[in-house]
Amino acid sequence: MAKDVIIACDFSSAADTLSFLDQFHGRKPFVKIGMELYYAEGPSIVREIKRRGHKIFLDLKLHDIPNTVKKAMRVLSQLDVDMTNVHAAGTSEMMRAAIEGLTRPDGTRPLLIAVTQLTSTSQERMQQELLIGASIQDTIVHYAVNAQQSGLDGVVCSPLESSLVKQHCGAQFLTVTPGIRFADAAKDDQVRITTPARAREIGSDYIVVGRPITQAADPVAAYERCIREFLG
Ligand code: C5P
């Protein structure tokens, strides 16, 4: 299975994103495009980064009625991204519809990953505000199993939940984990964090790294360090 470091390109314009990527010269890191950049620039930024030879994780976290998600996924499948995602809270029916929409006429499709519970949601808030009575860990495992049974390839989760998900869904079920920080660096607003080396030990397949690379004095060196620590 291909393990990799995905750079979260949380920029608000194509110009900032492309000048950031220009620094990498011959290297073609796997790139995550999120809502901010996609809503600012639309599909053209996806096409341009793809044209430059990068793999893309399009992180739009779809969550709507199954038919709407299916039709939206049909559009995204034509963008030739490598990975995209939905909220598992949209139900198994919605996740199956997403797979259907994403599958191209030739049978190929990008990897489809489910968001379980966002790491910004605390157990207390989940129970009191959303009236979900289970523990946050049980909810995450249950959502991951639903995603797997719906045919998805994996989940986005905190690195600390990665081994729990693997225990229930098997080693082949992908875990994509943000919340990565170098041992000697600032946490920013992330709470449950781990280092690239620890993420490897825990079994993450892909780590998503934003500010430790994008805000570094030398982003290429920070990326290389991530690769060295994560891939060993
Ligand atoms: O800058 P940093 O490394 O914290 O960026 C992490 C990236 O992963 C951001 O794009 C953030 O939106 C995303 N993410 C996250 N936690 C989640 C899901 C996505 O940090 N649970």
Side-chain angles (χ1 to χ4, degrees), residues 20-231:
F20 169 76
L21 292 176
D22 282 344
Q23 299 173 79
F24 288 82
H25 301 292
R27 298 221 49 166
K28 304 288 178 190
F30 202 136
V31 162
K32 178 171 91 75
I33 297 176
M35 291 185 211
E36 183 187 10
L37 183 57
Y38 190 77
Y39 292 152
E41 299 287 352
S44 64
I45 185 65
V46 175
R47 292 196 190 98
E48 175 57 20
I49 294 176
K50 203 65 206 176
R51 192 190 64 73
R52 291 171 170 229
H54 298 265
K55 288 188 173 174
I56 296 179
F57 170 20
L58 189 57
D59 179 19
L60 298 181
K61 302 187 178 70
L62 274 66
H63 186 174
D64 208 316
I65 60 171
N67 186 53
T68 300
V69 168
K70 179 170 142 185
K71 290 198 292 187
M73 283 296 185
R74 186 156 293 150
V75 176
L76 296 184
S77 76
Q78 291 157 19
L79 280 179
D80 196 26
V81 297
D82 300 276
M83 182 187 291
T84 190
N85 59 2
V86 293
H87 271 283
T91 77
S92 299
E93 191 190 349
M94 189 206 76
M95 290 191 273
R96 286 194 301 271
I99 293 263
E100 226 183 295
L102 204 55
T103 305
R104 305 181 187 103
D106 66 359
T108 62
R109 65 166 172 80
L111 292 171
L112 185 63
I113 306 294
V115 176
T116 54
Q117 278 293 347
L118 292 170
T119 46
S120 52
T121 306
S122 66
Q123 176 160 294
E124 189 185 35
R125 194 163 275 184
M126 185 189 78
Q127 293 179 341
Q128 290 175 6
E129 199 174 310
L130 305 181
L131 295 183
I132 296 173
S135 72
I136 198 138
Q137 289 206 335
D138 286 352
T139 311
I140 287 163
V141 167
H142 188 64
Y143 282 13
V145 169
N146 286 350
Q148 187 175 39
Q149 290 176 350
S150 306
L152 273 69
D153 305 293
V155 289
V156 181
C157 63
S158 112
L160 308 173
E161 288 145 8
S162 197
S163 50
L164 191 69
V165 168
K166 296 273 186 190
Q167 237 173 288
H168 286 83
C169 300
Q172 298 306 310
F173 193 64
L174 303 175
T175 54
V176 179
T177 60
I180 304 294
R181 290 295 178 269
F182 294 122
D184 51 4
K187 283 182 167 189
D188 302 307
D189 55 349
Q190 295 282 16
V191 180
R192 302 171 65 202
I193 55 165
T194 196
T195 61
R198 183 73 188 128
R200 181 189 65 207
E201 288 163 16
I202 292 168
S204 298
D205 296 290
Y206 295 91
I207 54 172
V208 175
V209 189
R211 287 161 291 181
I213 296 175
T214 57
Q215 305 301 313
D218 184 345
V220 180
Y223 172 72
E224 301 292 357
R225 179 177 173 190
C226 266
I227 291 277
R228 269 197 316 277
E229 288 192 15
F230 182 58
L231 299 182

